[in-house]
Structure formats: C-alpha cells, structure tokens
Amino acid sequence: MKKILSKKLTLVLALLLVALGLSTAAQTVSTRPYTKTEWINGVPYQVTDLPDNNNRAKMFIKTNDPQTPQPKKHLAKEEAQMVNVNIQLVEHEDIVYIGQIAAYSEDGNVNEREGGYGFELSVGENTLQAGIYTFRAYFSKLKSNNEYVDYYVFKESIPVYEDMTLTFDADEAKNFVQTKVIDSDGNEIRYMHEIAGQGLIGGDECVMGGFTPFVKDGKSFGGSVDPYGVWGTYNFYISDIDDIALNFQIHFDKDEVIHTVSFYQKGVHEDVVFENNPNDYVEHEIEFKATPLGMESGSPHYPIVMSANCEGAAFGHEIYRNVYDGKLKCCFGTSHFEPSSPYLKYLIGLSDYAYIDNMDEEVYSKTWALPIYNIDGELRVVNSGKSSYFPSFCDYYELDGEMLYLNGFQYPGHPAFSYPVSQKNADVLNNNCPIMLTYTYVYMDDEVAKINGIAYSLGRFGELRESDEKATTSVVKLDDNESEMGADFTVFSQDPNSGIIEVTLTNENVDVDGIPGKNLSQIYIDLAREDKAPPTLTMLHFRDNEGLVTDRFATSDIGNIELSAEDIYHTWKQDIDLTFYQINSAITVEVSYSPYSEDNWNEIAVEENPSLFFLPEMGNFFHGSLEGVTGQAYEGWFDLKVKVTDAAGNWQEQVISPAFRIDNLAYSNVATVGSDNAHEVARYNLAGQRVDANATGIVIIRMSDGTARKVIL
C-alpha cells in the first residue's frame, strides 16, 4: 500500500516541483538589455548594472550561450492572430491507449489555455494563437508478450501562422530508449511494470521513483515516466528529436540509503541505452534534529530527495519510512551530462511537523538542507541565497515575451557560503537558533495600500526550517493600531505614503543542545520614504581559523563571524504580474554579543567585503572576529544581536539566542563562589531555562562577575 501511495505522490510531487520552479520566478531587475558576458568557473553569465543604485549592484543571469537571444515582441491578446490546427492520428491495431496530445509555445506567445506549461489538444480542430510551437503525442501499445510500451512522437519548432493539419503516427517513434539503474553494490534495480490482465508485477524490494521530462532551454515538454509502469516505464520509444533533451532523474531507497542517478542527452536519432557506473556513487550523511514543535507533535520523519539539472528540470520523491535517529545516508551518482551542462543539484529534506490544512489534508513541514552538487566526484554545498529559503530549481522571469532563466543562481553560489562538504563540521541541522529572512513590499489594492510581509527561517547552515512558520508569531503596528498574526503578515493603509509600521516576530521553536532558544526580530518601516522596504539579514554562519564551518569553538580567538544582508525594494507591476527588484547596497550593520539570556550587550566589530557582494537574495557581505568576546556564559553559549539599517532609515534587528559557543568561557551547574561585590543577574534551572525569583528546587544563580552559584530553594 505504501508503494502505491508513494507512486501516486511521486507524479503529483514531480508536477508540483516543475510548477514551483516556474511559479517562483516572477522576479526581475529594472533595466534592459544586458550589456556583457562574464565567465565564472567556466559558466557564462550575463551581467547587468542596476540603475539608480550603487554600481556594485549587479544581477548575474546564466545564459546557455555567450550570445543572449534578442527579446521577441509580446503581442497583446487583441493583436494576436488566431489559426486552426487540425490534429489527425494514424490508426494502429496494437495501440491500446492514446495519451495527451500537447502543444508548447516557444516564442513567448501566451495562449490562455497554456498557463506556461503547455496545453492539451484534441483530435480534430483546435484554435491556437499564431506562433512557433513544439507538439507532443503519447501512445501506449500492447506488445506480443502482453507488456505495455510507450511511444512519444514530437514535432519540434513548427511555425503556426496559418491554418494547417498535423498528423501523428506512433510508428515515427522508432528509437528505443532503455535505462538500466545500477545500485552501489553493482546490482541492477528492477522496476515494477504492467502486464495486461496481471497488473503490476516484478520489482525490487526498495522504494523507487523517477521522472523524465523532455526539456528544451529549461522548459519541460511533459512526458513523466514512472518506474511502476502505470504511466510508463524507463524503456520507451521516441521519434527523432534535435533540440529536445532526455532528462532522467531517478531516486531509490535501498537498505535505508537514498540513492540518486541521473542521465541527460540532447537529441536522439538512434537507440539509446542509459546505464550508470556504480563506482561513481559518492556517499554522504546528513543529520537532522527535530524542532520542539516536531517533537511535541510526534510526527513521523519522512525523508525526501529532489534533484534538478542545469536546465531546470526537477523531480522529487518522498520516501515512506520513518527516520528515528535523524541521520540520512545518501549515495549521489555523478551526473551523466553533456559538457555544456555538467552540474546536477540534489536537495535533501526531512519532515519535521505535520498538520491538517484547510482542505482537511495532512501536510508535512520539512527541514531542507542546502543543495549539494556532485562535481567530478566532489560533493559541494552550494548556497546561492535563492535556493536557501525556497527549494525551487528552475527560476525564470518573462518580460516582453522573452523567457530568461536564472539557473546560474544555483551555481557557483556565494563563494563565502558555499564549500566542500568536508569543510563542514559534524554539526546537526536544526540544532541551532535560526535567523529570520524577511521580505516586504507595498502595492495598491482597490485604492488601499497593502503591505505584505513574508518571513523565512534559516538555520546556521542555510537549512530552511518550514515548521518555524507555524511557530512564529508577529505583532504588527501601523501607527497606533496593533494586530497579531503569523509569520506572513499583511497591513492595510489608506495612505501608502504616510505612517510607521513596526513588526515584532518571535520564534521560540528552538532547542540548542537542550537549551531553549529564541529568535526575536523587529522591523521598522517609514512609509513616507520612497524605499518602503526594510533591509534583512540573509545569512549568518561562523568559521574557525582553519576554514571549518561551525558555531562551536574551543577558544574565542579561533572564531570568525560571517554574515550577509540586503535591502530589496519590491515594486509590484500588476498589469504584467511581475515584481521588479531594486537592490540598494548602501546599508550599515551593527553586531553585538551577550552571554546567553543576559541582555548584556557588547560590540563585535565587522567589516564589509565589497568583493563578496552577491545577488540575488544575499547582498552585502560582512565579516569579523570573535577574538574580543569575553565573560562567562551558561555552557559557553552567547547570544548575538544584528541590526541592519538602509539609507532610508528603515531597519531590521534580530536577537539570535543562543548563536555561538566558546568552551573556555563556559560555566555549568557546578557551584562556584563569586566576589563580594558581585550581584545576581539571572537564575536558571538545571535544564538551562531561565526562571524567576520565585522558582523552587535546584537553581543556578548567575552573578555579574561571570561566576555562578548552585543553591537549593
């Protein structure tokens, strides 16, 4: 039963991921055209200076070719020419099923039925907006051995400017594509397949899922292929294709180890056999810790694996086994790609908290680790900002009918926040206090100013903590009016150019080494300013002097702090449904520390490194040393306060409690004697939780000179 359920969710999830990748893409810069090409690690990027801002503000957009194609004119609906396309099929006795016949626009023309994902055609007359299309037909035949085999027929880049007839013949699909998946022990994984009258048969005793979109220039041309044989198999026939690529992304779970295998080939004119080399697998283990909300709910912790290639084709697969110890073992297969697109991205997540949504369906909040790339056998954590807070794969935007794909954001990533997995210490995801990455934008809705706010919770290693959204509360004040709501907040104002908005976000879904934690974020917005959006902290992590990424240090002199912050002003352009970004790089950052839960703040000097300014979703980069951190703290843990202020006077302040640990500055529940002039500053129970003066039992009293006394009350 679990296999059948997983199979159904596989297809739904695969389609959702493609939609997610497309739907997150309404993000543009405010100028055109792009002026030059820069090559970064062998990858071509188009570079644009953003106007009216500091000249360091640039948007890097990957291009598949050094020559960026020119924009094509976008026709308004009333200008569009409509034509009739007559679809005809050649009959064959052995065809038992005729699947979807679909059309995909290639030149930016938008048919109202398309929605950006292609649209279904019927046999007979169809009305299309004039333009260039690729067409796909899908058939299923019953072979002599009673097995079903799929046939895909493509007609690429067809000019449709006058009435025409298109005929599809399943016999055009003469190229046989076979896929052999080999596990890390060298054994071939058998998939279940469907035989007439017998249903699903065969298959190894392991959970397996796969997705094969046909892709072109980052756009999926449909054709999901499922290992169970209900919607197809990994062996099928296809017609000749030139610019369309086959993209297999296969995940299977054997012996509680998640395996991933991917294949890619552009163009097919003969039979193809895909087979992976078992020696190419690279092992890796990711450890998660359940959040307090997840622990309280007792939700099962289901792992999920997703992958995508450089063209944006994505697939995700949820595995229905409970992970009790939080450790996910993975085997990443190297990318079998052409040299022009050599990078493959893997995203691993673990469900943390389950809840019932407004449609009475069970929804799992997950923790997503940062994307991992397998580059020539080396696993590398890639933090590009965008992928940190939303696990999408194919980001793009459309302007004047032109699709611009932002896959370059995924690689090479921010040079300071991306690193080989060997540079990360054996720390546990969620075992830290996260930052709040917040975005706000102002737009008019029925002549009323609407201020929307969105908050994402990012852990110390860039992990996205979805369950924090359910735990985060906010208090929003517009002048004297106050309201309470969740992490996503909305404020209405009759005057978009007057008033002060103050937001307080509180997230207490935090436990660090058994110590309760909290993120307290405050936001200040002055609507009288042209820039009505506050800046935000976008990433925070620590390294030791050897470059190891960790937030735990033996002594303060080996600790270093690295953070990024950004001021993004969003302008919603309703007529074309796009958000334009203006990036204002003139921001200031103030950083201070305090012993855990003591509210006794001291400055940490940080300097900006302009060479590490990075877009999108990262911005200005700052670094400093923990060498000046003094005083003792409970178990060595210190809080951090970061205030980011933009040129307009808007600001965000976050208190991350606790943030980092210094072992030689620790005190615990061992009784010590303080100086005669010391005074009490705080009381804690044995779990490290702060208590008031009326608490009874064994209490640790923290003194102003850094000492502690253990007493029984």
Side-chain angles (χ1 to χ4, degrees), residues 467-481:
S467 60
D468 285 2
E469 180 184 353
K470 296 298 177 182
T472 299
T473 60
S474 66
V475 176
V476 182
K477 292 179 63 177
L478 173 59
D479 295 332
D480 294 329
N481 299 317

Side-chain angles (χ1 to χ4, degrees), residues 543-546 553-560 624-630 660-665:
R543 289 181 188 262
D544 66 15
N545 287 343
E546 302 298 322
F553 307 97
T555 57
S556 60
D557 60 327
I558 65 171
N560 299 280
S625 172
L626 302 181
E627 185 175 6
V629 174
T630 60
F660 62 91
R661 190 180 76 192
I662 308 294
D663 291 343
N664 74 328
L665 299 179

Side-chain angles (χ1 to χ4, degrees), residues 72-81 108-110 129-130 400-401:
K72 298 178 177 62
K73 178 175 175 57
H74 177 75
L75 296 176
K77 288 185 178 180
E78 58 272 15
E79 302 177 38
Q81 174 189 356
N109 292 340
V110 179
Q129 182 174 309
D400 297 333

Side-chain angles (χ1 to χ4, degrees), residues 452-521:
N452 277 3
I454 304 172
Y456 300 94
S457 181
L458 297 183
R460 192 64 56 248
F461 306 101
E463 67 266 31
L464 171 67
R465 300 161 49 116
E466 290 182 345
S467 60
D468 285 2
E469 180 184 353
K470 296 298 177 182
T472 299
T473 60
S474 66
V475 176
V476 182
K477 292 179 63 177
L478 173 59
D479 295 332
D480 294 329
N481 299 317
E482 181 175 308
S483 59
E484 295 185 11
M485 54 197 73
D488 297 353
F489 55 88
T490 302
V491 182
F492 293 91
S493 172
Q494 296 295 331
D495 186 356
N497 299 309
S498 176
I500 300 296
I501 295 177
E502 296 174 276
V503 182
T504 300
L505 297 163
T506 305
N507 173 22
E508 295 185 285
N509 187 37
V510 180
D511 178 276
V512 185
D513 288 354
I515 298 175
K518 177 172 65 176
N519 179 290
L520 180 65
S521 296

Side-chain angles (χ1 to χ4, degrees), residues 89-111:
L89 304 179
V90 176
E91 295 185 3
H92 293 277
E93 291 184 357
D94 55 351
I95 293 179
V96 295
Y97 177 72
I98 300 174
Q100 185 189 58
I101 303 169
Y104 302 85
S105 173
E106 292 191 23
D107 59 1
N109 292 340
V110 179
N111 186 293

Side-chain angles (χ1 to χ4, degrees), residues 81-86 125-126 160-165:
Q81 174 189 356
M82 307 304 292
V83 297
N84 293 321
V85 177
N86 185 7
E125 292 292 332
N126 298 268
V160 181
Y161 293 104
E162 58 185 21
D163 295 350
M164 63 188 306
T165 297

Side-chain angles (χ1 to χ4, degrees), residues 341-462:
S341 55
Y343 306 118
L344 189 73
K345 169 182 174 181
Y346 302 104
L347 198 62
I348 304 295
L350 190 67
S351 57
D352 178 66
Y353 166 67
Y355 63 94
I356 304 299
D357 66 7
N358 54 12
M359 299 179 66
D360 294 328
E361 295 182 356
E362 191 173 49
V363 179
Y364 286 92
S365 295
K366 302 174 180 65
T367 295
W368 296 98
L370 276 175
I372 294 176
Y373 281 77
N374 185 346
I375 304 174
D376 298 327
E378 179 188 65
L379 298 185
R380 183 174 180 82
V381 175
V382 177
N383 190 341
S384 63
K386 180 68 178 176
S387 55
S388 301
Y389 75 85
F390 198 84
S392 62
F393 294 90
C394 179
D395 297 328
Y396 78 97
Y397 68 82
E398 179 184 356
L399 189 62
D400 297 333
E402 180 189 16
M403 296 292 185
L404 294 176
Y405 294 87
L406 311 186
N407 302 312
F409 292 171
Q410 314 303 332
Y411 184 86
H414 195 293
F417 298 131
S418 302
Y419 45 86
V421 296
S422 59
Q423 287 186 4
K424 180 180 176 295
N425 199 4
D427 297 308
V428 182
L429 302 186
N430 283 346
N431 192 27
N432 56 72
C433 183
I435 66 169
M436 297 296 288
L437 190 153
T438 61
Y439 292 108
T440 64
Y441 58 92
V442 180
Y443 66 97
M444 297 302 295
D445 184 8
D446 295 328
E447 299 184 354
V448 175
K450 190 173 183 179
I451 301 94
N452 277 3
I454 304 172
Y456 300 94
S457 181
L458 297 183
R460 192 64 56 248
F461 306 101

